[in-house]
Amino acid sequence: MFWESVKIALDALVSNKLRSILTMLGIIIGVGAVIAMVSIGMGVRDKVQTSIASLGSNLIIVTPGAASSSGVRQAAGTNTTLTLKDAQAMAREVSGIGAVAPSVGKQYQLVAGNMNWTTSVQGTTPEYMEVRNLNVQSGSFITNEDVDTRNRVAVIGSTVASNLFDNLNPVGQKVRIGNAPFTVIGVLESKGQSAGGQDQDDMVIIPLTTAQERMMGITYVQTISVQAANAEVVNDVQDGITSLLRSRHGITGDKADDFTVRNLASVMATAQETTATITMLLGSIAAISLLVGGIGIMNIMLVSVTERTREIGIRKALGARYANILMQFLIEAVVIGVIGGAIGIAVGVGGSYVISSFAGWNTVITPMPILVSFGFSVGIGLFFGLYPARKAALLNPIDALRYE
């Protein structure tokens, strides 16, 4: 009886092709819109996560606190209390740390031949490459020997390389940073823009001691980047760094810290929560089309019941029971939902690829929204088909046979 009812349902749909297509249109649009909108939201989430991860894995940032003068607190980072020895103590005494990279930074004008460019120059140690997930495209990175001997060597980003050297290989070329001559020893692989829109390739890296003593004339560091060994120990490492620095800086009791320790886990969690909300909102708006499609199914099934009243009466007169008629019309409604959902999946997946190709938006297609939207299309067919099916099943066979 089940497969016979499916066959009857398909015959009814084929005999009224235009009406069937128009009925399915709401389901097709709804399913397609849900898949496309969710894929856009998932793409945004992945892009944000990739941008945050590009800053460094399991990253903890230690910065100076705000200096205070005559009771007036200045801007964050104005203290000069962090030193290279603090960074070395962290690497030596705090368990769970993978790498530590102290750094200082300042904007300088670079000159190479008749070309010039203004960018951020970072003085740091070799561990900076590991902590910040950097890779060298050509040449080499700075070494501990460069830091110990205060060498005037530089590793440049791809943006700097293209603006100063065009198509020329930068490795081995001379560049003037401020008034000091440097030799380019390497070019970094491109990392693109960060989540905040900052060009991560527009930078120059030089040895920390060279930046401190030969360029800036300072003894402190502005930032200490710490890489935890794994994600599970990030909070423990953060607590360990805080305790160590309070002890080294002589901070006791309720006295405020003269430094700030932050990790990117909270940033990642906030970004994930925000993008998940956006994805849910987009999917919910698109799902309204599914409800409209369900109303269309109910409408067309009521019309079908009216058109087939004599058929229903004949079936009942020949012995069809309430359950037989109910199942027949329910199956017809579900078949509409199944076919509409299947076509909607194709439309949604295809639409996602079109959006990605022409609009340049990152889209991610996963099985979950496909399965959920298809399940909803079937459920909506069943739910909105129930009332017309019951109306058909309760029809009096005598009245049905008298119907003209």
Side-chain angles (χ1 to χ4, degrees), residues 195-206:
Q198 181 182 1
D199 186 356
Q200 299 181 89
D201 303 319
D202 190 7
M203 65 181 302
V204 175
I205 297 173
I206 64 176

Side-chain angles (χ1 to χ4, degrees), residues 47 50-55 132-135 137 156-160 188-203:
K47 185 174 182 180
T50 301
S51 297
I52 294 174
S54 69
L55 298 176
R132 293 286 185 166
N133 286 343
L134 300 176
N135 292 298
Q137 178 180 326
I156 62 176
S158 57
T159 299
V160 178
L188 297 172
E189 283 186 2
S190 176
K191 295 189 71 175
Q193 288 190 338
S194 66
Q198 181 182 1
D199 186 356
Q200 299 181 89
D201 303 319
D202 190 7
M203 65 181 302

Side-chain angles (χ1 to χ4, degrees), residues 154-206:
V155 180
I156 62 176
S158 57
T159 299
V160 178
S162 62
N163 281 282
L164 287 182
F165 300 101
D166 199 13
N167 295 324
L168 185 67
N169 182 11
V171 178
Q173 301 295 321
K174 298 293 183 181
V175 60
R176 193 168 72 249
I177 302 177
N179 294 319
F182 280 76
T183 301
V184 178
I185 61 170
V187 179
L188 297 172
E189 283 186 2
S190 176
K191 295 189 71 175
Q193 288 190 338
S194 66
Q198 181 182 1
D199 186 356
Q200 299 181 89
D201 303 319
D202 190 7
M203 65 181 302
V204 175
I205 297 173
I206 64 176

Side-chain angles (χ1 to χ4, degrees), residues 62-370:
V62 185
T63 55
S68 180
S69 177
S70 302
V72 178
R73 298 194 72 187
Q74 301 178 27
T78 52
N79 250 330
T80 58
T81 52
L82 291 180
T83 64
L84 175 59
K85 290 185 177 180
D86 286 334
Q88 293 169 340
M90 290 179 198
R92 187 174 58 250
E93 299 179 29
V94 179
S95 60
I97 287 182
V100 177
S103 61
V104 294
K106 190 176 180 180
Q107 291 279 330
Y108 283 97
Q109 185 180 48
L110 280 63
V111 178
N114 62 347
M115 307 295 289
N116 69 86
W117 186 253
T118 301
T119 187
S120 171
V121 177
Q122 293 288 325
T124 187
T125 60
E127 289 77 16
Y128 193 81
M129 183 168 69
E130 179 182 354
V131 171
R132 293 286 185 166
N133 286 343
L134 300 176
N135 292 298
V136 176
Q137 178 180 326
S138 60
S140 60
F141 201 71
I142 59 174
T143 64
N144 286 318
E145 182 181 354
D146 294 325
V147 176
D148 294 339
T149 58
R150 298 160 183 79
N151 281 346
R152 288 180 176 174
V153 293
V155 180
I156 62 176
S158 57
T159 299
V160 178
S162 62
N163 281 282
L164 287 182
F165 300 101
D166 199 13
N167 295 324
L168 185 67
N169 182 11
V171 178
Q173 301 295 321
K174 298 293 183 181
V175 60
R176 193 168 72 249
I177 302 177
N179 294 319
F182 280 76
T183 301
V184 178
I185 61 170
V187 179
L188 297 172
E189 283 186 2
S190 176
K191 295 189 71 175
Q193 288 190 338
S194 66
Q198 181 182 1
D199 186 356
Q200 299 181 89
D201 303 319
D202 190 7
M203 65 181 302
V204 175
I205 297 173
I206 64 176
L208 174 64
T209 51
T210 305
Q212 286 179 314
E213 301 177 23
R214 292 191 170 189
M215 302 292 293
M216 302 172 64
I218 60 175
T219 57
Y220 59 88
V221 299
Q222 296 168 339
T223 304
I224 301 176
S225 301
V226 181
Q227 183 189 55
N230 54 66
E232 287 72 25
V233 299
V234 168
N235 291 330
D236 293 336
V237 170
Q238 185 172 347
D239 293 340
I241 291 172
T242 301
S243 298
L244 175 66
L245 291 180
R246 284 181 64 87
S247 176
R248 287 182 58 82
H249 296 181
I251 302 172
T252 58
D254 296 332
K255 191 175 179 181
D257 295 338
D258 60 1
F259 58 89
T260 302
V261 184
R262 292 189 178 93
N263 70 70
L264 297 185
S266 58
V267 178
M268 182 75 81
T270 302
Q272 288 177 337
E273 183 179 348
T274 303
T275 52
T277 302
I278 293 172
T279 303
M280 184 68 69
L281 178 62
L282 291 173
S284 299
I285 293 173
I288 295 174
S289 300
L290 282 172
L291 294 177
V292 175
I295 295 172
I297 290 176
M298 178 184 286
N299 180 56
I300 205 64
M301 290 304 299
L302 286 172
V303 172
S304 180
V305 169
T306 302
E307 289 179 344
R308 297 160 63 185
T309 302
R310 288 184 62 82
E311 175 191 330
I312 296 168
I314 293 172
R315 287 178 181 275
K316 285 199 168 187
L318 294 175
R321 295 176 305 217
Y322 172 89
N324 301 132
I325 304 297
L326 182 72
M327 184 177 69
Q328 177 186 336
F329 281 88
L330 272 181
I331 288 176
E332 288 189 21
V334 170
V335 165
I336 294 174
V338 169
I339 296 175
I343 298 173
I345 289 173
V347 170
V349 173
S352 298
Y353 283 115
V354 170
I355 291 171
S356 179
S357 300
F358 289 94
W361 295 352
N362 187 36
T363 56
V364 176
I365 300 172
T366 58
M368 184 57 67
I370 293 176

